[in-house]
Amino acid sequence: MTGREAVPGDEDLVAATATAWPGQPFTHWSIRKLAEYLGARADRPVRIGREAVRTLLHRRGITFQHTTTWEDSTDPDFEAKLDRIEQVQAHQPDRTFAFDEYGPLGIRPTAGIGWAPERRPDRLPATYHRTEGVTYFHGCYSIGDDTLWGINHRHKGGVNSLTALKSIRAARPDGQPVYVILDNLSAHATPQIRRWTARHGVELCFTPTNASWANPIEAHFGVLRQFTMANSNHPNHAVQTRRLHAYLRWRNDYARDPDVLDAQRRERARARSEKGHRWTATTPHKRPEKHLQRFRSRVHLDAGTRHRRGRPR
């Protein structure tokens, strides 16, 4: 069924109806449901075929997409915390680090992507028995050196977080201050951690509540997931951990040049200043998602550049 094309006055109605909540016993329109609904409208029927609906929506730039979610930060110190994170990254990149946990990491076949003959994708066995438990990768990222390292633990906790912070302090053993960006998980700010950081010149720069996207390490976890977890079938945690750390060694061998990193930081700061934008967005409720999307895109591009400079993916 093709039907006739909508007249110009009807095109606006078709586009508005397609992008509005259906008000029907379903949550979104299919092309067929939309065409039938438009033709059956009592107040203003629009008799249009399914293919005509499809081409009209395409012409209007309306596509069928996954919905996304966002959450505003309710942190009263939201601006102050972001200010501090921006400040240390811009002015002390060689002494700024990021920390977070990545996981839980279970032992199960994980689908991914890869090259294969047409219509003959690689297959991974299914499993319904999970007897290995989980681990968490406690990751540390150096802003200035573009290096990522960490250790796997069975649990999150203050002791394991402190171990990671000590490894960051050891990366700059000169006694001068270092700055660590991390979220406000309770295990990141135990009394023991507070006392240790005060004695050893480590400043904890917490991200605002519900704004973990402001932590630079988050984007690197996405790349880590893509190249170590996706398309894998590790038999146990020992093998999974060994392969994860092998990738980290490979990654760090091809870290970006510090001069390039510095130039990229200056250019991003200049662009934000000229546009009057912060975290690449202008409206509060869009800020986290837009920043994270652009941040991830940039890191994936950087990761691709790193791979092209070295071995093939």
Side-chain angles (χ1 to χ4, degrees):
M1 176 181 178
T2 56
R4 70 175 182 85
E5 294 284 342
V7 300
D10 291 339
E11 289 193 1
D12 293 337
L13 177 61
V14 174
T17 304
T19 55
W21 183 260
Q24 303 293 320
F26 39 81
T27 60
H28 62 274
W29 296 109
S30 66
I31 293 293
R32 180 176 180 175
K33 287 183 173 67
L34 179 59
E36 292 177 350
Y37 171 81
L38 290 167
R41 285 174 57 101
D43 56 340
R44 184 181 171 184
V46 178
R47 305 194 185 284
I48 181 173
R50 295 198 293 272
E51 182 62 19
V53 170
R54 187 192 66 79
T55 56
L56 186 156
L57 296 178
H58 178 74
R59 188 167 60 249
R60 290 296 187 95
I62 300 172
T63 59
F64 199 72
Q65 305 175 43
H66 285 286
T67 55
T68 58
T69 60
W70 56 268
E71 185 174 8
D72 274 336
S73 174
T74 57
D75 196 319
D77 298 322
F78 180 85
E79 296 293 339
K81 289 180 178 179
L82 288 189
D83 282 339
R84 187 54 178 162
I85 291 173
E86 286 183 330
Q87 183 182 38
V88 296
Q89 288 190 91
H91 300 290
Q92 299 286 345
D94 292 337
R95 309 200 66 82
T96 301
F97 300 81
F99 164 70
D100 202 3
E101 296 90 355
Y102 166 49
L105 305 178
I107 298 302
R108 60 183 180 86
T110 305
I113 57 176
W115 297 102
E118 186 176 2
R119 297 186 179 182
R120 297 185 62 186
D122 289 338
R123 289 178 172 270
L124 295 175
T127 175
Y128 301 97
H129 302 285
R130 312 287 167 75
T131 60
E132 297 285 335
V134 300
T135 63
Y136 294 87
F137 174 68
H138 290 60
C140 307
Y141 175 64
S142 170
I143 304 296
D145 299 333
D146 186 35
T147 53
L148 181 66
W149 74 92
I151 188 170
N152 290 56
H153 294 286
R154 282 287 183 176
H155 305 282
K156 296 181 181 180
V159 173
N160 294 333
S161 298
L162 180 56
T163 300
L165 293 175
K166 288 180 178 179
S167 75
I168 290 175
R169 177 71 272 186
R172 297 292 186 273
D174 54 10
Q176 297 300 311
V178 296
Y179 310 91
V180 182
I181 302 169
L182 68 174
D183 63 38
N184 53 16
L185 182 72
S186 60
H188 298 169
T190 63
Q192 184 182 12
I193 289 177
R194 296 283 193 180
R195 291 192 296 269
W196 182 87
T197 55
R199 289 197 306 269
H200 293 85
V202 178
E203 179 182 333
L204 302 180
C205 303
F206 291 103
T207 61
T209 305
N210 299 331
S212 59
W213 48 264
N215 189 338
I217 201 173
E218 291 286 350
H220 294 274
F221 284 164
V223 181
L224 189 67
R225 181 185 306 110
Q226 178 182 353
F227 289 108
T228 62
M229 297 295 117
N231 202 31
S232 70
N233 185 19
H234 303 123
N236 52 55
H237 280 297
V239 173
Q240 182 188 71
T241 300
R242 186 162 59 247
R243 292 177 179 172
L244 186 152
H245 285 270
Y247 172 78
L248 291 178
R249 289 191 296 272
W250 182 94
R251 179 207 178 280
N252 293 337
D253 283 343
Y254 294 92
R256 289 167 291 169
D257 186 272
D259 293 336
V260 174
L261 287 171
D262 186 56
Q264 289 176 340
R265 282 191 292 267
R266 290 199 305 270
E267 176 61 20
R268 288 195 292 270
R270 182 196 63 78
R272 285 199 300 268
S273 176
E274 287 185 355
K275 295 178 181 179
H277 288 183
R278 185 167 189 202
W279 301 97
T280 72
T282 55
T283 54
H285 75 281
K286 296 283 187 183
R287 183 190 298 123
E289 186 179 335
K290 281 194 173 184
H291 169 69
L292 187 55
Q293 181 180 6
R294 181 169 173 179
F295 196 6
R296 281 179 173 165
S297 298
R298 185 174 71 244
V299 172
H300 277 278
L301 178 61
D302 293 338
T305 303
R306 180 185 294 112
H307 281 274
R308 288 193 295 272
R309 287 168 50 192
R311 311 168 197 170
R313 295 186 183 186

